[in-house]
Amino acid sequence: MESEWQRLKLSDVGVSLIDCVHKTPADAGEGIPYIGIPQMKDGRIDFDADPRLISEADYVEWTKKANPQANDVVLSRRCNPGETAVVKAGEKFALGQNLVLLRAKTNAVFPGYLRWVTKGPEWWAQVGKFLNVGAVFDSLKCGDIPNFELTIPPHSDQKAIAHILGTLDDKIELNRRMNDTLESMAQALFKSWFVDFDPVIDNALAAGNPIPEPLRARAETRRALGSQRKPLPDEIQKLLPDAFVFDNRMGWIPDTWTAGTLEDMVILQRGFDLPQRLRIDGEVPLMVASGQDGTHNIPKVNGPGITTGRSGKLGVVNLVLRDFWPLNTTLWVKEYKNSSPYHALFLLQSLNLENFNSGSAVPTLNRNHVHNLSLPVPPKPIVKAHARIVEGLYEKILFNSEQSAFLAKLRDTLLPKLLSGELRIPDAEMLVADSL
């Protein structure tokens, strides 16, 4: 098999390079995504990573030269030179500065194979060979990239390799979308119960009790749904009151809710020191202000749990489903007095914690400042009922996440072996079939 494989330049196999427009369009605030280096994530374009949005007119102008098509490979030339992301069918965007498109234009390279050959060891060896080391940023020159030499197998093998690796990647992407949907469901349930008070409104309508003026529009929406409203199980619906009471600090809150503070629901605690020299790679997530950053071999806190930024990056709230170690740049929930991890996640997100910065040079969150925030406190049985429902959603999320981590590891293990011919295609197909 390997005798049929040839080491060739990209230009020799019909892979063309299409450069970007070397200026930046105006930010229209809405419209079509203008994708830059920050939106390249894990080999795909992350449209949720806050891209600049541009007008239709600018989109037309910017895509005259470089119009991304399905199976094109977006390549970063600067900042993280060599990193690539594939363009999926139906994705519409304009190409940002310091990015180029690689496009298979002949039958010599199967379009779906190009995304994988630009991730293998040979690719990174070529990046290192042609890299221009700069004082601030390293970079690749457009004129050098077509001279990258890579081993190109026969077309049939390219298709088989693309199918094997693509099958794993498609399952990982499906799991990601499923988890996004499950998290949206959990967020919607929190909002319905603890922000909009939908179950309380439903009970008040059923009992004929008066609806406070600020809640009447929501009540009319609920009434208009009629039988389309999804009722809660009777044992849960009975936990919720059927009337509202007025509090001078809170306004109208459900009867049986109390006027309290954040500290009545959760206790935040500073994270733990762990010097770099003492960290040992393992299965335990290390949590920093912005989220997970590495692993350790022993946990400090039992999961599921909540962390948020204490120093550096404020406002990011994370639900950690496994046992974890919160580092000293975080605050973590030490006690759920009248909450749960699934309730506290969305409660803390709703507080816009980034607005409570008490630092000067370095953004800092003082837990005592947020502990004293006035908030309506729901009864414990209602919080527990909410947790029982949402826990099932996050069990599915954890399963999907762990499966995706396993499949990503398998994909990254198979990739260099398939690209080099070390692993036979039928053997790889069996490994993938056994893993799905």
Side-chain angles (χ1 to χ4, degrees), residues 23-45:
K23 58 181 180 178
T24 302
D27 188 344
E30 59 181 9
I32 300 165
Y34 175 78
I35 296 299
I37 293 170
Q39 284 76 47
M40 297 174 63
K41 182 178 180 182
D42 299 330
R44 63 183 179 87
I45 305 297

Side-chain angles (χ1 to χ4, degrees), residues 365-422:
L365 180 64
N366 186 324
R367 64 192 177 105
N368 294 319
H369 293 171
V370 293
H371 273 164
N372 294 324
L373 289 174
S374 296
L375 294 167
V377 180
K380 281 187 179 181
I382 294 173
V383 173
K384 289 181 178 179
H386 170 266
R388 286 195 297 272
I389 296 173
V390 177
E391 184 177 29
L393 300 178
Y394 279 98
E395 286 175 352
K396 294 178 183 177
I397 288 173
L398 179 60
F399 175 83
N400 290 340
S401 298
E402 291 182 341
Q403 183 188 51
S404 291
F406 170 78
L407 294 177
K409 186 175 181 179
L410 176 61
R411 177 199 62 198
D412 295 343
T413 300
L414 294 180
L415 187 146
K417 295 181 178 182
L418 285 168
L419 295 182
S420 66
E422 176 186 346

Side-chain angles (χ1 to χ4, degrees), residues 126-159:
Q126 293 295 294
V127 170
K129 176 181 177 180
F130 288 98
L131 192 66
N132 295 282
V133 178
V136 180
F137 294 111
D138 297 341
S139 63
L140 293 169
K141 294 179 180 178
C142 287
D144 288 337
I145 296 166
N147 293 320
F148 279 23
E149 292 185 347
L150 303 171
T151 300
I152 306 298
H155 200 266
S156 59
D157 289 342
Q158 293 179 41
K159 291 182 70 174

Side-chain angles (χ1 to χ4, degrees), residues 56-125:
E56 180 71 29
D58 279 343
Y59 168 75
V60 170
E61 185 63 28
W62 258 254
T63 53
K64 285 179 180 178
K65 182 179 180 182
N67 188 8
Q69 299 177 11
N71 292 313
D72 281 354
V73 170
V74 178
L75 166 63
S76 173
R77 293 195 305 106
R78 196 165 179 257
C79 298
N80 53 352
E83 289 292 339
T84 59
V86 68
V87 180
K88 299 290 187 69
E91 292 182 343
K92 180 179 179 180
F93 64 93
L95 196 67
Q97 290 205 58
N98 299 308
L99 300 180
V100 298
L101 296 175
L102 297 179
R103 180 174 298 163
K105 299 187 72 173
T106 71
N107 289 333
V109 174
F110 177 61
Y113 177 76
L114 186 59
R115 65 180 289 201
W116 301 113
V117 77
T118 55
K119 290 186 175 299
E122 284 190 344
W123 170 261
W124 286 107

Side-chain angles (χ1 to χ4, degrees), residues 192-381:
S192 175
W193 283 34
F194 301 108
V195 178
D196 296 331
F197 306 130
D198 288 338
V200 181
I201 290 174
D202 291 346
N203 282 350
L205 291 173
N209 290 334
I211 304 294
E213 193 279 331
L215 298 172
R216 285 176 190 165
R218 184 68 183 177
E220 288 305 314
T221 299
R222 299 294 295 173
R223 194 199 308 272
L225 289 173
S227 60
Q228 296 179 28
R229 282 178 292 177
K230 294 181 179 179
L232 295 170
D234 287 343
E235 65 272 17
I236 295 178
Q237 195 74 44
K238 290 176 181 178
L239 293 174
L240 293 140
D242 60 6
F244 292 88
V245 295
F246 186 79
D247 178 82
N248 288 330
R249 286 185 299 163
M250 308 288 176
W252 291 98
I253 61 175
D255 191 14
T256 72
W257 260 246
T258 58
T261 64
L262 179 64
E263 194 172 20
D264 294 321
M265 290 184 275
V266 298
I267 300 294
L268 294 167
Q269 179 68 43
R270 181 185 184 274
F272 303 93
D273 296 338
L274 184 63
Q276 190 75 41
R277 59 185 172 81
L278 298 180
R279 300 177 190 180
I280 302 172
D281 285 342
E283 300 296 324
V284 177
L286 285 175
M287 303 302 295
V288 298
S290 58
Q292 184 176 346
D293 184 13
T295 61
H296 192 45
N297 65 331
I298 56 173
K300 200 72 171 176
V301 178
N302 293 332
I306 297 294
T307 68
T308 191
R310 180 191 67 84
S311 176
K313 175 73 173 178
L314 306 185
V316 178
V317 184
N318 294 285
L319 170 62
V320 191
L321 296 172
R322 296 183 292 172
D323 297 350
F324 63 101
W325 186 301
L327 289 169
N328 57 13
T329 59
T330 69
L331 294 172
W332 62 282
V333 177
K334 180 180 180 180
E335 183 181 355
Y336 300 92
K337 296 171 68 175
N338 221 35
S339 183
S340 75
Y342 314 107
H343 173 267
L345 169 66
F346 299 113
L347 174 66
L348 293 175
Q349 285 180 349
S350 71
L351 299 180
N352 297 318
L353 296 174
E354 64 273 16
N355 295 332
F356 293 88
N357 176 23
S358 61
S360 53
V362 178
T364 303
L365 180 64
N366 186 324
R367 64 192 177 105
N368 294 319
H369 293 171
V370 293
H371 273 164
N372 294 324
L373 289 174
S374 296
L375 294 167
V377 180
K380 281 187 179 181

